[in-house]
């Protein structure tokens, strides 16, 4: 979600480049080791992902992956537009007509595990594509399905880390530029 960081710095009147914050792409994204010794490696490279998925899911698995990414992209885009960039000062503000129109498309009443299970047949692949729930400290069986957006951002945009760690970004935002 590099664009979120870029937008934040822009709102503060600067840029990551101007503040000497360099982002480094992790490639591949992640290696996942299963108890039977099998390894699944996630990446933004579609050819690589096709091989990884078809090894477990078979030929139809890659089409399911593309469908999963399309739904997850919808979760991401609608969440950015209708949730992340909006204020919800009270419970009633959730009832905005523009927001309600997208509510069911975001699958908040399904879990990430249920959404992933809709696309993939095998347990291992479901585990791979629900791993992002750990970022929020939640179980994939409990976290709302909307959060497949986390997998979308990693699988399409990659995993990026600031040289020197996230501490550098947080320190800049807190101490350098926020008025007051």
């Amino acid at each position: 979600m590099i664009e979120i960081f870029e937008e934040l710095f822009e709102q503060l009147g600067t840029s990551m480049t101007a503040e000497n914050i360099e982002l480094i792409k992790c490639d591949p994204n992640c290696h996942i080791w299963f108890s039977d010794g099998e390894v699944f490696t996630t990446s933004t490279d579609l050819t690589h992902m096709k091989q990884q998925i078809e090894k477990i899911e078979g030929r139809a698995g890659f089409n399911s992956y593309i469908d999963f990414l399309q739904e997850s992209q919808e979760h991401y885009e609608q969440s950015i537009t209708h949730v992340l960039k909006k204020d919800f000062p009270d419970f009633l503000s959730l009832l905005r007509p523009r927001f309600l129109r997208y509510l069911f498309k975001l699958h908040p009443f399904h879990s990430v595990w249920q959404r992933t299970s809709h696309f993939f047949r095998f347990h291992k692949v479901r585990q791979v594509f629900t791993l992002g729930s750990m970022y929020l400290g939640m179980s994939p069986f409990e976290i709302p399905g909307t959060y497949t957006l986390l997998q979308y951002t990693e699988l399409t945009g990659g995993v990026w880390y600031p040289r020197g760690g996230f501490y550098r970004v947080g320190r800049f935002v807190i101490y350098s530029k926020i008025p007051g």
Side-chain angles (χ1 to χ4, degrees):
M1 295 173 48
I2 296 172
E3 65 276 4
I4 303 294
F5 282 103
E6 290 171 342
E7 188 175 317
L8 173 65
F9 277 78
E10 184 179 307
Q11 289 171 353
L12 294 172
T14 188
S15 68
M16 287 189 288
T17 303
E19 300 304 327
N20 294 318
I21 295 176
E22 176 189 1
L23 296 179
I24 303 165
K25 184 176 183 183
C26 299
D27 188 27
N29 292 359
C30 182
H31 298 289
I32 299 152
W33 284 268
F34 294 99
S35 61
D36 65 2
E38 188 169 5
V39 178
F40 192 110
T41 302
T42 61
S43 172
T44 57
D45 181 319
L46 284 175
T47 303
H48 172 81
M49 290 302 290
K50 184 177 194 304
Q51 294 169 349
Q52 292 287 291
I53 292 165
E54 288 183 351
K55 178 173 60 173
I56 300 171
E57 289 277 327
R59 287 184 161 261
F62 187 68
N63 289 335
S64 294
Y65 175 68
I66 297 301
D67 292 343
F68 172 75
L69 286 180
Q70 287 175 333
E71 178 178 285
S72 300
Q73 178 182 10
E74 180 80 7
H75 291 170
Y76 174 77
E77 290 174 355
Q78 298 308 325
S79 293
I80 295 291
T81 302
H82 299 289
V83 179
L84 188 63
K85 294 186 176 183
K86 301 288 184 199
D87 289 328
F88 292 90
D90 55 45
F91 183 75
L92 290 176
S93 62
L94 290 170
L95 301 177
R96 293 181 202 161
R98 297 185 100 189
F99 176 67
L100 289 175
R101 182 175 352 147
Y102 294 100
L103 183 63
F104 291 100
K105 289 183 179 182
L106 294 174
H107 299 101
F109 306 113
H110 295 127
S111 69
V112 164
W113 186 266
Q114 288 170 318
R115 293 315 309 152
T116 305
S117 297
H118 177 75
F119 297 99
F120 303 107
R121 297 178 299 148
F122 291 92
H123 189 77
K124 285 180 180 177
V125 178
R126 292 173 182 176
Q127 287 179 307
V128 167
F129 296 122
T130 60
L131 190 62
S133 62
M134 73 172 181
Y135 298 141
L136 300 175
M138 294 183 72
S139 162
F141 301 102
E142 297 172 358
I143 191 168
T146 308
Y147 287 102
T148 61
L149 65 89
L150 297 171
Q151 284 75 32
Y152 169 76
T153 62
E154 286 188 359
L155 294 167
T156 61
V159 175
W160 296 80
Y161 287 100
R163 185 176 301 280
F166 280 100
Y167 168 79
R168 290 194 65 225
V169 176
R171 184 170 183 219
F172 166 79
V173 171
I174 291 171
Y175 296 112
S176 298
K177 298 290 181 178
I178 294 180

